Structure formats: C-alpha cells, structure tokens
Amino acid sequence: MSFSKPTAVSSLYRTTRLIELPENVALCDEELRQDVGVLRERGEFDIFQGCVDGDVVPESLNDHLDALRLKASVSVSTNDRVLLGYNASAARNYSLEPLMLGRRLPRLQSGSIRQLDETADKVLLGGARIAWFEHDWPSPDGSWHRWSTLKMAIFGFQKVAFCLLSLSRPVMRLANESAAPGRLLNEQLVVYQQLDEIDRQICQGIAVGDSTGEIAASVGLTRRSIEVRRAKILEHFGFSRQVQIVRLLVRLEENGLLPD
C-alpha cells in the first residue's frame, strides 16, 4: 500500500456514501453510542475508501474525523493494523504521528491490555462486527483512567478485508497508579516473572536503594551493563521512571506476590 500520491480530497469524496455501522452497540457507554451515531450520519465512507486505495492523502481522513467533533479518541486501521487515520484526541492519547500513517501499528506491550487488544482483533477477524471492553491505562499526563473502548469492523473495500474503527474514551479517573485494579498488578507480575534472574536482582537492588555501582558489584556486571539493562527493564514494563519499579515491588510484596 502506498500513500505517495499527492492527490487532494476531490468532490468525488464529498458526495458521499455514509459509513454503514452495526446497530447493536447497546453494551458500550452512552457517549460512545453518540459518537457512533455521528459517524453513521456524517462519516464519509468514500474518504476511508480513498485512503485504502491511495487516491486520497491520509491527512484528509484525519481532518474529516476532527471535523466530526467526536468525544472519543478515534483511529482507523486496516485489518492488518496499517494506520489510515486518527483524530486530534487520539494523537494526544496514543502518541500517533503523521509519519505513522500507512505503517503497521506496533503491538501494545505485554500483559492484560495487549491480550484484550489482540482478543478484540481476533473476534473481528473471525467475523464479528463489534468488540467492546474496558481497561485501565495512563493518560499522557501520567494520571490513570478507566477507558471504554469500542472496536468496529467497516466492510465494503476491495483491497482490504475491512477497516477497523476504534473509539476510546476515559470514563473514570483513578486516584493514582496504585488505584489500578488487581488485574493490572497481576499483569505487571507476569511481566516481572518474564525477567531473567539478573534483571530481577537489579529490580530488587533498585527497590532497596542500592546505587548502580552496588548493583553492578552484586551481580558481577559493569555499571554500563546495569544502566543498559535498567533501561530495557523500564521499557519492558512501560515505565518512564525508576521509582515506578520501587512502587511495583512494594505492591507485589504487600500482596504476597513477590517470590522469596
């Protein structure tokens, strides 16, 4: 698939066929249902089609989604996870950028959130039109929210099996990171258990306040090796700060989940 054509949105894509979305969205919350209603009434399928065919610059779909003024963060991808477009809210919440248009979206990090995301995709690939779920996830400012996410399959394309329309919005702010439910802690436990013995020792050293040099001496590695491994550990968990490792190990110990 190529998005190299510099074709602007023409009147052909303003005519237009409205998006045919399934009616049964009763399970999801009211604001998502309202957004689906707007997409049914004003969503222009031909712009979606033009992005798939490469006849329309993908930024046109971004502009169209922004013009709809939907409350949710909205993104559109093909069934094989090639990003076609998104609105400004999705750009903020998912860190989407123009350079990602036309490229395969990366999988979410390991754990229950990734499992939910992949399960929803499998359900849609299996022929369902709708998948809805709630999950807990940090916002760009670092605060934690419970999110309501609705994924819908849009059919009618020749080049791809379907487009995947994803709408997501925060429905509840959690008090802080430790307020995330047990399944998130269990998710992080699984990630912790995937670390090798040395990385777990590094985490434990961080938790008790050891310096990089002290950790290096205890595991028989250089300071540089510890720094590299520490950065990979943070990436593995999706953390941005070392103190989050400390908090995690404290929570695991408090819940009796930290191996002796």
Side-chain angles (χ1 to χ4, degrees):
M1 185 184 302
S2 171
F3 292 109
S4 60
K5 286 188 177 182
T7 310
V9 179
S10 67
S11 60
L12 171 64
Y13 300 103
R14 298 290 189 188
T15 44
T16 79
R17 263 198 306 155
L18 297 179
I19 299 174
E20 295 181 6
L21 295 176
E23 295 289 338
N24 185 20
V25 293
L27 281 176
C28 69
D29 63 86
E30 180 59 33
E31 290 201 11
L32 287 184
R33 284 198 295 270
Q34 291 175 3
D35 280 349
V36 172
V38 172
L39 282 162
R40 285 199 189 100
E41 295 171 3
R42 296 171 54 203
E44 298 179 1
F45 181 93
D46 292 324
I47 292 181
F48 286 65
Q49 180 73 64
C51 286
V52 170
D53 292 341
D55 296 328
V56 174
V57 291
E59 288 85 353
S60 300
L61 181 53
N62 292 8
D63 293 341
H64 176 57
L65 292 172
D66 281 334
L68 296 178
R69 299 187 180 279
L70 304 174
K71 297 178 181 178
S73 298
V74 183
S75 62
V76 185
S77 60
T78 63
N79 55 290
D80 57 354
R81 298 181 68 85
V82 172
L83 181 64
L84 297 178
Y86 52 87
N87 65 359
S89 177
R92 290 191 300 271
N93 291 319
Y94 306 151
S95 300
L96 300 178
E97 300 176 357
L99 60 84
M100 299 175 68
L101 292 169
R103 300 177 183 270
R104 284 179 61 86
L105 288 165
R107 288 288 179 185
L108 295 174
Q109 293 177 345
S110 60
S112 61
I113 304 303
R114 174 173 176 170
Q115 184 177 17
L116 279 171
D117 188 57
E118 292 184 346
T119 299
D121 286 356
K122 289 177 181 177
V123 166
L124 294 164
L125 281 167
R129 294 290 304 274
I130 296 174
W132 175 77
F133 55 91
E134 288 188 340
H135 56 96
D136 299 315
W137 197 250
S139 296
D141 63 1
S143 61
W144 282 77
H145 288 78
R146 182 154 301 156
W147 293 76
S148 175
T149 295
L150 177 68
K151 290 190 172 184
M152 310 180 75
I154 309 172
F155 296 95
F157 304 93
Q158 294 181 350
K159 290 190 175 182
V160 299
F162 60 84
C163 278
L164 188 62
L165 178 66
S166 177
L167 300 91
S168 186
R169 75 176 193 89
V171 294
M172 179 191 305
R173 181 182 175 117
L174 303 175
N176 51 48
E177 182 180 334
S178 64
R183 71 171 183 272
L184 180 59
L185 182 59
N186 290 335
E187 169 197 340
Q188 292 177 327
L189 174 60
V190 171
V191 176
Y192 181 76
Q193 291 171 334
Q194 291 172 348
L195 300 176
D196 63 26
E197 180 61 28
I198 291 179
D199 283 348
R200 287 198 292 271
Q201 289 181 44
I202 292 172
C203 289
Q204 292 162 10
I206 292 171
V208 299
D210 288 348
S211 68
T212 301
E214 290 170 332
I215 296 173
S218 68
V219 299
L221 295 176
T222 65
R223 291 173 57 93
R224 177 56 182 161
S225 295
I226 297 302
E227 291 169 354
V228 171
R229 280 179 170 262
R230 184 172 55 209
K232 289 183 177 179
I233 291 169
L234 290 171
E235 181 181 359
H236 193 55
F237 280 107
F239 291 162
S240 59
R241 295 172 296 157
Q242 186 170 290
V243 69
Q244 291 172 283
I245 295 176
V246 179
R247 292 173 182 168
L248 171 61
L249 265 64
V250 169
R251 292 181 62 209
L252 290 174
E253 186 174 19
E254 289 175 345
N255 287 272
L257 298 174
L258 193 64
D260 296 329

